[in-house]
Amino acid sequence: MVVDARSDVEQSLNVGNTVSHLLNSIDEQLAPWLKERGQGAYRAGQVRRWLFERRAREFREMTDLPQTLRDELGGHFTLWSTQIARHTQAEDGTEKLLLTLADGGQVECVLLRDEVRRTICISTQVGCGMGCVFCASGLDGLTRNLTTGEIVEQMLQLQLLLGPEERLSHVVVMGMGEPLANLDALLPALEEASRDDGLGISARRITISTVGLPKAMRRLVEAKSRYRLAVSLHAPNDELRHRIVPVSEKIPVADILAEADHYFEQSGRRLTFEYVLLAGLNDSVKHAVELAELLGGRTALLNVIPYNPVAGLPYGTPSQSAQRAFRQTLEDRGIAVQFRHRKGDAIDAACGQLRRRSRV
Ligand code: SF4
């Protein structure tokens, strides 16, 4: 169902102005600004609490700040740089936002409800340059990286969809874009997600998904990242992987696995491997045997996602019997495997689909 596309948030938008987007770097912007005005540093903590904990939509709601300060904040900073172009809800509680950025680009983000879990899935780029053949997001290539503020804003916009009793519990960076191709903006955004005076979500409940960019994976190790890492394999050998994930042409699976193992050693976080199961392409028992040989011996979970067809793309969902045989083959070889069916299929929750549909 499509619900109110215009919210209070949008009405308080300040898009197009010369004001600064506060969410781009909250501490760095607020601290000197408050100091210049003779305000105590504790005021920054008050603003943070209103934003992340008390879910304020505007400065004027921050009632423990003096009225003049709230007015000045509103004149100098904007909280929101995006507009909600479309808000969809599925019967299973999944909600999806299509956000229009200040420059007209669009990204999407999703809130998933599963018992007490409230997971958000966020985007890191407009479009994607990885070109995975089955993916709607990559069809038109990469337009640009998102800013830190635009990533944080997705989290806050999704938090605003929660009822008063609900709390965000998990973040997955699996929306539009390749997260490791935009680490400079992503890491500060995830810092806001995990800080106690941010969203307060434990790093072990935050997952970064990647097609496997070894240099960027090494950067995560060097940054002593404690987030979970999910590596999208989609194929058990280089030849097939090059066909499904064209960007991997010069990146052997062995190099990706070596960096993933290195990440596991540094972070202690169990690795996840993702495998989109495409009918007739990578779903045979032979592929499952090869995959088990590739991943065997690791402390890892294999997430298999039966493909969700995308309009205009020639790939299909594997039959139930093919799915069962694939799973059984892996389990017989000791692989920890989980089949994940996308929630929110009815609202096009697969990455990139809603954005695409809005343009056709
Ligand atoms: S699946 Fe992910 S990495 Fe691949 S094209 Fe789509 S958004 Fe990019």
Side-chain angles (χ1 to χ4, degrees):
M1 128 184 159
V2 178
V3 293
D4 176 26
R6 292 278 306 161
S7 67
D8 295 346
V9 173
E10 294 156 46
Q11 285 155 28
S12 67
L13 274 171
N14 229 341
V15 176
N17 266 327
T18 51
V19 292
S20 307
H21 190 201
L22 184 63
L23 305 182
N24 265 326
S25 51
I26 300 171
D27 294 347
E28 290 78 357
Q29 294 189 81
L30 264 189
W33 187 87
L34 288 166
K35 197 170 171 195
E36 268 170 32
R37 283 156 186 79
Q39 294 287 337
Y42 69 97
R43 295 285 186 205
Q46 287 177 297
V47 172
R48 283 188 154 276
R49 206 155 35 252
W50 277 106
L51 269 177
F52 291 105
E53 205 181 301
R54 304 174 84 171
R55 305 179 193 173
R57 294 165 187 260
E58 300 175 49
F59 290 111
R60 67 176 178 207
E61 290 174 37
M62 303 181 181
T63 47
D64 55 4
L65 298 174
Q67 182 66 53
T68 48
L69 185 60
R70 282 182 262 161
D71 292 343
E72 275 193 84
L73 280 163
H76 193 84
F77 297 109
T78 184
L79 295 175
W80 311 105
S81 68
T82 69
Q83 296 190 54
I84 299 174
R86 196 173 167 90
H87 174 191
T88 41
Q89 287 181 333
E91 281 181 7
D92 65 5
T94 303
E95 297 187 52
K96 185 162 186 167
L97 297 177
L98 177 69
L99 300 177
T100 301
L101 308 167
D103 65 1
Q106 291 191 314
V107 292
E108 46 205 354
C109 52
V110 184
L111 165 68
L112 298 132
R113 292 183 166 90
D114 190 6
E115 298 186 351
V116 295
R117 278 186 182 214
R118 295 294 176 269
T119 303
I120 54 174
C121 176
I122 55 172
S123 295
T124 51
Q125 297 181 311
V126 183
C128 183
M130 302 297 118
C132 305
V133 293
F134 56 81
C135 172
S137 293
L139 280 177
D140 302 323
L142 173 68
T143 304
R144 72 166 170 92
N145 283 335
L146 294 185
T147 63
T148 296
E150 288 164 341
I151 298 171
V152 173
E153 190 164 330
Q154 292 173 66
M155 300 193 261
L156 291 181
Q157 291 272 24
L158 290 166
Q159 180 170 253
L160 287 171
L161 303 178
L162 297 179
E165 304 304 318
E166 294 179 297
R167 293 274 173 278
L168 294 183
S169 62
H170 293 73
V171 179
V172 292
V173 191
M174 288 186 185
M176 187 184 293
E178 163 54 51
L180 295 197
N182 189 17
L183 266 187
D184 287 343
L186 176 64
L187 288 178
L190 292 185
E191 185 70 24
E192 294 295 359
S194 59
R195 276 171 65 156
D196 287 343
D197 59 357
L199 287 171
I201 299 171
S202 157
R204 70 192 156 79
R205 293 182 166 180
I206 296 175
T207 303
I208 304 175
S209 173
T210 177
V211 297
L213 305 178
K215 278 191 193 148
M217 290 163 80
R218 181 57 64 99
R219 254 190 85 189
L220 276 184
V221 170
E222 286 162 1
K224 304 221 176 324
S225 158
R226 307 289 288 165
Y227 306 118
R228 287 186 185 277
L229 191 64
V231 179
S232 297
L233 279 181
H234 308 323
N237 60 61
D238 286 326
E239 190 273 319
L240 181 57
R241 193 162 194 270
H242 296 166
R243 280 164 53 200
I244 298 175
V245 187
V247 77
S248 71
E249 200 175 346
K250 294 194 179 75
I251 311 174
V253 171
D255 289 6
I256 296 169
L257 290 181
E259 282 304 334
D261 290 343
H262 193 186
Y263 187 79
F264 169 67
E265 282 159 23
Q266 180 274 133
S267 67
R269 301 279 185 236
R270 180 171 76 160
L271 296 167
T272 302
F273 293 97
E274 307 272 332
Y275 193 103
V276 169
L277 206 59
L278 300 149
L281 191 58
N282 63 358
D283 65 338
S284 71
V285 167
K286 186 173 153 289
H287 293 130
V289 171
E290 218 180 331
L291 189 58
E293 281 168 8
L294 190 70
L295 297 182
R298 285 189 171 75
T299 306
L301 175 70
L302 175 66
N303 261 331
V304 178
I305 307 129
Y307 186 61
N308 184 28
V310 173
L313 290 179
Y315 304 99
T317 310
S319 66
Q320 288 298 322
S321 63
Q323 291 186 35
R324 270 196 302 275
F326 197 86
R327 178 179 200 141
Q328 196 61 52
T329 306
L330 289 158
E331 285 178 346
D332 288 349
R333 284 157 180 77
I335 302 295
V337 56
Q338 168 177 286
F339 267 56
R340 219 180 62 204
H341 294 271
R342 287 187 184 277
K343 284 175 78 75
D345 277 358
I347 59 163
D348 297 333
C351 60
Q353 292 188 21
L354 188 71
R355 169 178 174 256
R356 219 173 155 71
R357 183 155 301 184
S358 76
R359 294 187 297 168
V360 291

